Amino acid sequence: MTQTMIDDAALKARHRAMWALGDYTAVATEVIADLGPRLVAAVGVRPGERLLDVAAGAGNVALPAARAGARVTASDLTPELLERGRVVATNEGLDIAWETADAEALPYGDDSFEVTTSCVGVMFAPHHQPAADELLRVTRAGGRIGLISWTPTGFIGQMFATMKPYAPPPPAGASPAPLWGEESHVRELWGDRVRDLRARRERLPISHFRSPEEFRDYFKINYGPTIAVYRSLADQPERQAALDRDLLELARGAATGRDEGMIMEWEYLLVTAVVV
C-alpha cells in the first residue's frame, strides 16, 4: 500500500467519524426534509427504475424515491446513518438496499442505474473529480443524474466560510464542498459526458429555529462538521467563544423575524443532467 493510499484511507476514516458525530438524521428530518422530495421530483423518478443515492445519509432521497416505486440502493460512507434509514424503511415496508460505500470508489458496475442522485451529500467527498466520474460511470447512457448542493454564497456555504478560520487546515488535494454549488464547477467536472444539463438556484425556507441562538446551539449539538470544529478548539476557550459569536452573527444576519420565531432561506443549486 502506497503512502497516498494510506493517507486517503485515514482521511476517509475521519470523514466517516465526523458524520457519525451528533445527530445528522435530526438535521435531515427536522430541518431540511423537503430537499429529498424536491430532488426526486426534479429527476422524474418512475416506478421500477434502478436508482442509486450516493452519500445518502439516513435516506433523505432514498425513502421518497422508494415510495415513488423506484428500486433504490442507498450508499454512504457512514454506516451509522444508513442504519437510521434502514429502520424507517423497515417500518414502512420499503425495500431499499443500504450499503456502505465511498462516493469516490463506488462498488457498482458500469451502467448499473437509470437514475443517480445525491442531496447535499457527494459535495462533501474531498476529491471532486473522482466523485463526479463515479456518478457518471455507474449511470447508464440516457440515464439521469440529479444533485442538490449548498451554494458558496448561500447560508450554509457562508457557515462553512465562517468556520474555516477556526478549523484545522484541509488535507492536501481536498476541494471545498460548496464548489459543487457553482454551476461552472459542475460543468467542468462532467464536461461533454452529459447533455441537457440544467442548473438553477433555489431557496429552502427554514422555520425550525426560534432564534439565532437556537440555530447555533442546535448545530453545535447535531451537525458533524460543526461539532468537529468545536472539538478541535477544546483547549482554546477564547476561540470557541469567538466562533460562538461569529455563528450567532451569521444567523442574525440571515434571519427574518416573526412573532413565534424566525425564518431563514438556505440557497442550494439543483442540477439535473442526462448521461451521454
Side-chain angles (χ1 to χ4, degrees):
M1 181 178 291
T2 67
Q3 187 60 48
T4 298
M5 296 171 65
I6 294 171
D7 291 344
D8 187 62
L11 173 60
K12 298 300 173 57
R14 290 196 298 272
H15 268 247
R16 184 183 301 116
M18 179 184 71
W19 287 106
L21 294 172
D23 190 355
Y24 181 72
T25 303
V27 178
T29 58
E30 297 173 357
V31 183
I32 62 170
D34 288 348
L35 288 182
R38 289 187 185 193
L39 186 52
V40 168
V43 294
V45 173
R46 296 185 288 268
E49 288 190 309
R50 295 168 297 170
L51 181 145
L52 173 66
D53 191 33
V54 178
N60 204 0
V61 172
L63 292 165
R67 293 175 190 131
R71 293 181 288 162
V72 177
T73 298
S75 68
D76 198 279
L77 192 64
T78 305
E80 292 89 343
L81 297 180
L82 295 174
E83 187 55 35
R84 298 287 293 274
R86 192 195 315 274
V87 170
V88 176
T90 299
N91 290 340
E92 291 191 29
L94 298 172
D95 186 12
I96 299 174
W98 302 89
E99 299 177 352
T100 304
D102 180 355
E104 297 177 12
L106 294 169
Y108 309 109
D110 297 354
D111 310 316
S112 293
F113 300 93
E114 279 84 32
V115 184
T116 303
T117 59
S118 189
C119 179
V120 294
V122 75
M123 65 179 291
F124 292 104
H127 307 112
H128 292 190
Q129 192 62 64
D133 293 345
E134 284 294 88
L135 294 173
L136 295 176
R137 182 185 64 78
V138 301
T139 310
R140 69 167 177 81
R144 297 152 354 253
I145 297 179
L147 305 177
I148 283 179
S149 306
W150 302 120
T151 65
T153 54
F155 180 79
I156 296 297
Q158 288 302 297
M159 185 186 76
F160 277 97
T162 298
M163 295 192 299
K164 183 177 179 180
Y166 299 94
S175 297
L179 277 179
W180 278 96
E182 292 281 8
E183 178 182 349
S184 59
H185 184 63
V186 180
R187 288 187 178 276
E188 182 179 354
L189 290 172
W190 284 342
D192 60 3
R193 295 177 292 171
V194 300
R195 59 178 172 83
D196 301 334
L197 189 152
R198 298 173 183 172
R200 63 180 184 267
R201 291 175 179 246
E202 298 185 350
R203 294 177 179 270
L204 179 70
I206 303 295
S207 58
H208 182 77
F209 307 107
R210 292 169 294 180
S211 68
E213 290 83 359
E214 184 176 325
F215 157 77
R216 180 198 61 197
D217 295 343
Y218 183 95
F219 265 61
K220 285 175 66 174
I221 294 170
N222 292 298
Y223 193 60
T226 306
I227 297 169
V229 173
Y230 273 95
R231 287 191 176 184
S232 74
L233 303 173
D235 59 350
Q236 303 176 64
E238 298 86 359
R239 286 174 59 76
Q240 283 191 344
L243 180 54
D244 273 348
R245 292 191 295 270
D246 288 350
L247 288 176
L248 193 59
E249 181 180 352
L250 176 71
R252 283 174 176 160
T256 300
R258 60 179 189 172
D259 291 341
E260 65 272 24
M262 70 176 193
I263 296 176
M264 294 188 284
E265 291 192 335
W266 294 0
E267 185 184 70
Y268 61 89
L269 184 73
L270 172 62
V271 174
T272 58
V274 177
V275 177
V276 174

